[in-house]
Amino acid sequence: MSDPTLERDTALRGRARAVIPGGMYGHQNATLLPEGFPQYFAEGEGCRVRDVDGNEYIDFMCSYGPILLGHRHPAVEEAVRDQLARGDCFNGPGEAMVELAERLVERVDHADWALFQKNGTDATTLCVTVARAATGRSKVLVAAGAYHGAAPWCTPIPAGVVAEDRANVATFPYNDLTGLREAADAAGDDLAAVLVSPLKHDVFVDEELVDPAFARGLRALCDERGALLLLDEVRAGLRMGRGGSWEALGVAPDLSAWSKALANGYPIAAVLGAEAAREAAAQVFSTGSFWFSALPMVAALATLAQAEREDAHARVVHAGERFRAGLAEQSARHDLSLRQSGPPQMPMLLFDDDPQFEIGRAFTAAAARRGVYLHPYHNLFLCAAHDDASIDAALERTDLAFRDARAARPATRGAPCSR
Amino acid sequence: MSDPTLERDTALRGRARAVIPGGMYGHQNATLLPEGFPQYFAEGEGCRVRDVDGNEYIDFMCSYGPILLGHRHPAVEEAVRDQLARGDCFNGPGEAMVELAERLVERVDHADWALFQKNGTDATTLCVTVARAATGRSKVLVAAGAYHGAAPWCTPIPAGVVAEDRANVATFPYNDLTGLREAADAAGDDLAAVLVSPLKHDVFVDEELVDPAFARGLRALCDERGALLLLDEVRAGLRMGRGGSWEALGVAPDLSAWSKALANGYPIAAVLGAEAAREAAAQVFSTGSFWFSALPMVAALATLAQAEREDAHARVVHAGERFRAGLAEQSARHDLSLRQSGPPQMPMLLFDDDPQFEIGRAFTAAAARRGVYLHPYHNLFLCAAHDDASIDAALERTDLAFRDARAARPATRGAPCSR
């Protein structure tokens, strides 16, 4: 098999270096990925995407989360085309906004109201601001090492961040009630909120499901201290469950932040909140030039309806389990110790004895060359369009990718080595 | 003439009160507008929009700025439909991103590179963060009373804002070099940047064009202090000129923030920057789930190309001047002292002796009932689809609206009164 060409991609990267700082930025910056990963994409359908050179990939990143039903799902696209024929952005929202708020309030147990934005960072920032308005307090606790956004108060990269941006943010260890209590004690009577993701899903490390006792203890602590519990559903929302990700645990947040999968790829975010925070939410000035646009709202309505119709949640879980089982069998056969952590809908694939991700990079690069788009150190995202045939087609290729990675494995492996 | 019905609009507002805090939020909250203004919109074409009850309006808000060429301009819609047939949101951008960065760098004199976001607030916040990364300093000066965004550091509403959010933000009076210098002196050697809009365009007060001597003095001060000059083009960009709004003055910012009109209504924002800030821009973590989406980028390319093709800037200026002249004649004839400030492309209409905007509310409510969408205290936005026939049709209706407002004018007017 000859390697696919990335000629057009390479040319575009060259042009980009002249007019985009660093050539690219943010979480979609492919210069950080191994050679063989494309930067620029041309089209997609179902669970398959095509890069600008015409190479096709079975897509296990799903645009880093937004694609829940598959690329260009007909039910969503039809709603989008209908709205486009009338327009998108006016002096006020369309009636889809009211209907979307109603559907989300019906669907997510803790929610009595909704506000809409564009990005995950908009939603988590608004949660914090509403919590401060509701409590009159300043301090916010977040789980250490957990990624929450790209604004100065929550970015994982320090460039351009000043001390005051983080002055009211303190951390606690995920799933550690004792550590949480110590952080809350340090915040004292100025604790406005605790912001937490439904599972620990950071780059570079194994995912960690929430300990139900931790979730319940967190809820009790917030109640005891008069602080709000904010659930960051941006990455997990609609993949971990039909409604809120902690509903199965019986733990209800006061506010939750949603984005990625809400509209199957169209740009929207939402804050959902409980009655007690409604007045504070009405006082905070939240707005954006395109936050009222109709197109992503009709896309979200279609996504929610279609997800029910086809039981997307069960389909995504099934696809993830099938992929996981196949990868486990293959990696064992190729004598590569693959660790699969997190839920099957959004699994993390890491290798033992691979501190620099060399095996992971070799494996995912080989997979990309063979038409399977994975990631060396970010969790993957399954979608409802990953039917059994697609999973099996992907597994045929990952089998070869494991073989390639086995061949490329650093020579020191097998012998003890100091790390 | 019987008043148009807003029956469906009223029913939607009722439903919204149950599931949206305060019934609506942000700059498109119609509960703050006079009775007669619709909240919910159904469709638009050219300079006309239709609300959910089927009432048609000649639109002088243009979605609060985004609509530059007219609603659903065929050239933009064609590009959007083409892209939709291939998809919008993938694991990386489409090649339109590189082309858009190239076009903006060509078109805007001071720009050597571009970064893309979704909202004006994203862009202004990123400008500040890049300036801090570039200088290693903290303090930012903004013009007092000028609206800059909706994040805690820049929102005009204090709910949920804590002291640290504003600890590094100080103000100066627009167009006042002495005041600017005093504010810069107070910031001392910690001055990272001055953020300023190309003209003063705040709600409730007359617009004010920039004094060229102020703009040049500001540039000199930034150079002298080693601070960056950040130009907030979010509202004015592409309406004040073909490229940057201060190019005619010969004053180049280091960074500029763009959004609203860039893609004729599709959701995008951009930071454009000079070479000296490129390295800092590459270090800052800027990202969002939908910041790489192709659809608004092809819409922006089509908008820029079409704006050139039809000389949109000249058309918008011409439309604004024709509207302004008609309104001036009418208001004088109706003995209402209308003040029209700012550039004709984005004028502010306020009345003398109207501290509570009662005359303004009566006038704009009457205009809305007659099918002309204005605003009682926010600047208007003209677009290239406001041809002479549309302006004249609007003026026929505003003539009647002035008559209505004259009849509704508070009885005290005419006699001296204490305010």
Side-chain angles (χ1 to χ4, degrees):
Chain A
M1 173 188 178
S2 68
D3 275 4
T5 175
L6 290 175
E7 198 178 332
R8 192 171 183 84
D9 195 84
T10 304
L12 284 166
R13 291 189 196 215
R15 286 166 56 191
R17 276 192 293 275
V19 291
I20 295 175
M24 189 51 63
Y25 50 86
H27 70 287
Q28 294 201 348
N29 183 354
T31 65
L32 307 171
L33 293 174
E35 207 175 328
F37 273 82
Q39 175 68 79
Y40 295 94
F41 287 82
E43 56 185 328
E45 185 159 16
C47 66
R48 285 173 164 78
V49 291
R50 205 180 284 276
D51 67 24
V52 290
D53 287 285
N55 306 303
E56 189 181 278
Y57 306 84
I58 302 175
D59 178 14
F60 288 93
M61 286 307 287
C62 291
S63 314
Y64 288 75
I67 303 300
L68 177 71
L69 303 172
H71 292 275
R72 291 200 291 124
H73 190 287
V76 180
E77 296 307 293
E78 188 189 343
V80 164
R81 278 194 305 271
D82 274 7
Q83 185 62 48
L84 267 186
R86 288 172 286 149
D88 175 28
C89 178
F90 297 117
N91 295 330
E95 60 179 284
M97 182 180 188
V98 180
E99 200 181 333
L100 180 56
E102 289 171 341
R103 289 295 89 72
L104 290 169
V105 164
E106 279 169 18
R107 186 161 174 146
V108 177
D109 285 351
H110 84 89
D112 294 310
W113 52 260
L115 295 171
F116 299 105
Q117 309 81 37
K118 274 280 170 274
N119 296 313
T121 298
D122 296 337
T124 55
T125 303
L126 186 54
C127 280
V128 168
T129 310
V130 170
R132 286 173 173 158
T135 60
R137 303 172 181 179
S138 302
K139 303 286 183 201
V140 177
L141 305 183
V142 302
Y147 167 81
H148 283 298
W153 75 269
C154 58
T155 172
I157 306 285
V161 175
V162 296
E164 287 82 358
D165 291 329
R166 313 303 264 264
N168 292 301
V169 181
T171 61
F172 63 90
Y174 199 90
N175 271 341
D176 178 347
L177 268 182
T178 306
L180 171 66
R181 247 185 273 277
E182 286 169 7
D185 288 346
D189 58 9
D190 198 26
L191 181 64
V194 181
L195 173 63
V196 67
S197 51
L199 66 154
K200 193 166 181 296
H201 48 43
D202 308 326
V203 286
F204 303 126
V205 295
D206 292 335
E207 286 182 88
E208 200 178 321
L209 296 178
V210 72
D211 176 349
F214 173 77
R216 284 190 288 267
L218 168 57
R219 177 69 271 179
L221 177 131
C222 287
D223 291 341
E224 178 191 312
R225 311 285 172 114
L228 270 59
L229 171 50
L230 319 180
L231 195 60
D232 171 8
E233 295 267 20
V234 170
R235 206 185 286 188
L238 295 189
R239 273 196 172 76
M240 290 300 288
R242 186 192 163 270
S245 297
W246 279 5
E247 288 178 14
L249 307 179
V251 176
D254 298 290
L255 302 173
S256 56
W258 300 69
S259 181
K260 290 184 179 289
L262 263 187
N264 203 48
Y266 292 97
I268 196 165
V271 170
L272 306 183
E275 193 55 45
R278 185 193 292 260
E279 188 54 36
Q283 285 164 15
V284 170
F285 186 59
S286 64
T287 205
S289 295
F290 310 108
W291 289 15
F292 305 86
S293 293
L295 197 148
M297 296 188 187
V298 302
L301 283 169
T303 300
L304 292 170
Q306 181 63 26
E308 291 292 276
R309 204 175 294 132
E310 64 177 60
D311 199 353
H313 179 249
R315 291 165 69 101
V316 176
V317 171
H318 170 80
E321 286 172 344
R322 190 178 183 94
F323 195 46
R324 171 168 290 185
L327 293 174
E329 183 278 321
Q330 291 175 352
S331 60
R333 181 155 40 76
H334 288 286
D335 189 26
L336 282 165
S337 185
L338 176 69
R339 291 198 315 278
Q340 304 192 66
S341 57
Q345 308 93 296
M346 38 187 296
M348 175 71 96
L349 308 187
L350 296 172
F351 290 89
D352 287 341
D353 302 323
D354 191 28
Q356 301 304 317
F357 308 100
E358 288 168 15
I359 307 173
R361 292 172 66 89
F363 169 63
T364 55
R369 281 193 297 271
R370 295 175 181 285
V372 178
Y373 195 103
L374 305 169
H375 199 289
Y377 48 72
H378 189 294
N379 74 269
L380 310 181
F381 294 91
L382 280 286
C383 75
H386 283 113
D387 56 14
D388 288 356
S390 304
I391 294 294
D392 294 347
L395 286 168
E396 276 181 36
R397 304 173 192 185
T398 54
D399 197 18
L400 302 170
F402 277 120
R403 191 194 60 192
D404 296 348
R406 180 74 176 77
R409 192 170 55 175
T412 53
R413 195 186 175 287
C417 63
S418 63
R419 286 195 288 144
Chain B
M1 173 186 175
S2 67
D3 275 5
T5 175
L6 290 174
E7 198 178 332
R8 194 172 182 84
D9 195 84
T10 304
L12 285 166
R13 291 190 195 212
R15 285 165 56 191
R17 277 192 293 274
V19 291
I20 295 175
M24 189 50 64
Y25 50 86
H27 70 288
Q28 294 200 348
N29 184 353
T31 65
L32 307 171
L33 293 175
E35 207 175 327
F37 273 82
Q39 175 69 77
Y40 295 94
F41 287 82
E43 56 186 328
E45 185 158 17
C47 66
R48 286 172 164 78
V49 291
R50 204 180 284 275
D51 66 25
V52 290
D53 288 284
N55 305 303
E56 190 180 277
Y57 306 84
I58 302 175
D59 179 13
F60 288 94
M61 285 306 287
C62 290
S63 313
Y64 288 75
I67 302 300
L68 177 71
L69 303 172
H71 292 276
R72 292 200 289 122
H73 190 286
V76 180
E77 297 307 294
E78 189 188 342
V80 164
R81 276 193 307 270
D82 273 8
Q83 185 61 50
L84 268 187
R86 289 174 285 148
D88 174 28
C89 177
F90 297 117
N91 294 332
E95 60 181 283
M97 183 181 188
V98 180
E99 200 182 333
L100 180 56
E102 289 171 340
R103 287 297 87 72
L104 289 169
V105 164
E106 279 169 17
R107 185 160 174 146
V108 177
D109 285 351
H110 85 90
D112 293 310
W113 51 261
L115 295 170
F116 299 104
Q117 309 83 37
K118 275 280 171 273
N119 296 312
T121 299
D122 297 336
T124 55
T125 302
L126 185 54
C127 281
V128 168
T129 310
V130 170
R132 286 173 174 158
T135 60
R137 302 173 181 179
S138 302
K139 303 286 183 199
V140 177
L141 305 183
V142 302
Y147 167 79
H148 283 298
W153 75 270
C154 58
T155 172
I157 305 285
V161 175
V162 297
E164 288 81 358
D165 291 329
R166 313 302 265 266
N168 292 301
V169 181
T171 60
F172 63 91
Y174 199 91
N175 271 341
D176 177 348
L177 269 182
T178 306
L180 171 66
R181 248 186 271 276
E182 285 169 8
D185 288 346
D189 59 9
D190 198 25
L191 181 63
V194 181
L195 172 62
V196 68
S197 51
L199 66 154
K200 192 166 183 292
H201 50 40
D202 308 326
V203 286
F204 303 127
V205 295
D206 292 336
E207 286 183 86
E208 200 177 322
L209 296 178
V210 72
D211 175 349
F214 173 78
R216 285 191 287 267
L218 168 59
R219 177 69 270 178
L221 177 132
C222 287
D223 291 341
E224 176 191 313
R225 311 286 171 111
L228 270 59
L229 171 50
L230 318 179
L231 195 60
D232 171 10
E233 295 267 21
V234 171
R235 208 185 285 187
L238 295 190
R239 272 196 174 76
M240 290 300 289
R242 186 191 165 270
S245 297
W246 280 4
E247 287 177 15
L249 307 180
V251 176
D254 299 290
L255 302 172
S256 56
W258 300 68
S259 182
K260 291 186 181 285
L262 263 187
N264 203 47
Y266 292 97
I268 197 165
V271 170
L272 305 183
E275 193 55 44
R278 185 193 292 259
E279 188 53 38
Q283 286 165 15
V284 170
F285 186 58
S286 65
T287 204
S289 294
F290 310 108
W291 289 14
F292 305 87
S293 294
L295 197 147
M297 296 186 187
V298 301
L301 284 169
T303 300
L304 293 170
Q306 180 63 26
E308 290 293 276
R309 204 173 295 130
E310 63 178 63
D311 199 353
H313 179 249
R315 290 165 69 102
V316 176
V317 171
H318 171 80
E321 285 173 344
R322 189 178 184 92
F323 195 46
R324 171 168 290 184
L327 292 174
E329 183 278 322
Q330 292 176 350
S331 60
R333 182 156 39 76
H334 289 286
D335 190 27
L336 282 164
S337 185
L338 176 70
R339 292 198 314 278
Q340 302 193 65
S341 57
Q345 308 93 297
M346 38 189 295
M348 175 71 95
L349 308 188
L350 296 172
F351 290 89
D352 287 342
D353 302 323
D354 190 30
Q356 301 305 316
F357 308 99
E358 288 168 15
I359 306 173
R361 292 171 67 89
F363 170 64
T364 55
R369 281 193 299 270
R370 295 177 179 284
V372 177
Y373 195 102
L374 305 169
H375 198 291
Y377 48 72
H378 189 294
N379 73 269
L380 308 181
F381 294 92
L382 280 283
C383 75
H386 284 112
D387 56 12
D388 288 357
S390 304
I391 295 294
D392 294 347
L395 286 168
E396 277 182 36
R397 303 173 194 185
T398 53
D399 197 17
L400 301 171
F402 277 120
R403 190 194 61 191
D404 296 349
R406 179 75 177 77
R409 191 171 58 174
T412 53
R413 194 186 175 286
C417 62
S418 63
R419 284 196 287 145

